[in-house]
Amino acid sequence: MQHLQHAYAWWPTLAVLIVATITDLRSRRIPNWLVFPFLLAGLVVSTFVGGWHGLGESLGGMLLGGLIYGLLAMMGGMGMGDVKLCAAIGAWIWWQQLVMALVLIAVVGGVMAIAWAIFGGFLGEMFSGAGDLVFGWKERGMHAPEELKLSNPKARKMPYAPAIAIGTLISFFSH
């Protein structure tokens, strides 16, 4: 059943990821007019393809994507457009594939961040901030330092839709 779902999920996911990547690169935003219809269509198509089981798998993917990225957004390191995009992708590719996609997205995002820091001349600053984020959580709790939060106008902000797109697309080939 999941193989059949992937046949339906491939093209709409690719189309949305292209538009999301372009808009994120241009404006650092992923628009709701793109994400919400995509999410709803994922639930509908999954129900059509897999019945109640498909709907359950789709809801599981949506909740997993929203929860994981929602936690990152609450810590200040992820935008809500990224959260909604991952939830919508989960509705299309279901939770099992989303787990693989999330791992791949993290790897791609890490490589992109390092390349961005090297070419931007702030690699040392990035590693210092990452070290504080990882090892300083006991002192500050689960909240990121102010200088690393997206809400800080001085924070360096990397569009993450390209990493989401690449990781998700690679996940289609991992099956």
Side-chain angles (χ1 to χ4, degrees), residues 70-121:
L71 290 171
L72 292 170
M74 285 176 26
M75 292 171 50
M78 186 73 53
M80 286 307 294
D82 300 319
V83 174
K84 293 178 273 191
L85 180 61
C86 277
I89 290 168
W92 275 93
I93 67 174
W94 299 358
W95 73 269
Q96 298 93 338
Q97 184 179 348
L98 185 64
V99 170
M100 174 61 74
L102 291 173
V103 170
L104 293 166
I105 290 166
V107 170
V108 171
V111 169
M112 286 175 59
I114 291 170
W116 184 54
I118 289 170
F119 290 113

Side-chain angles (χ1 to χ4, degrees), residues 53-169:
H53 173 76
L55 177 61
E57 297 289 329
S58 184
L59 287 170
M62 180 187 78
L63 293 172
L64 178 65
L67 178 68
I68 300 278
Y69 275 65
L71 290 171
L72 292 170
M74 285 176 26
M75 292 171 50
M78 186 73 53
M80 286 307 294
D82 300 319
V83 174
K84 293 178 273 191
L85 180 61
C86 277
I89 290 168
W92 275 93
I93 67 174
W94 299 358
W95 73 269
Q96 298 93 338
Q97 184 179 348
L98 185 64
V99 170
M100 174 61 74
L102 291 173
V103 170
L104 293 166
I105 290 166
V107 170
V108 171
V111 169
M112 286 175 59
I114 291 170
W116 184 54
I118 289 170
F119 290 113
F122 54 90
L123 185 63
E125 180 184 330
M126 184 193 80
F127 281 123
S128 173
D132 184 42
L133 192 62
V134 171
F135 299 112
W137 66 272
K138 285 185 180 181
E139 290 81 32
R140 71 168 185 288
M142 290 299 291
H143 301 287
E146 279 304 312
E147 62 273 7
L148 298 180
K149 290 186 179 182
L150 289 177
S151 58
N152 182 348
K154 294 181 180 180
R156 298 185 197 277
K157 299 170 181 81
M158 182 182 86
Y160 207 65
I164 294 170
I166 294 167
T168 300
L169 294 175

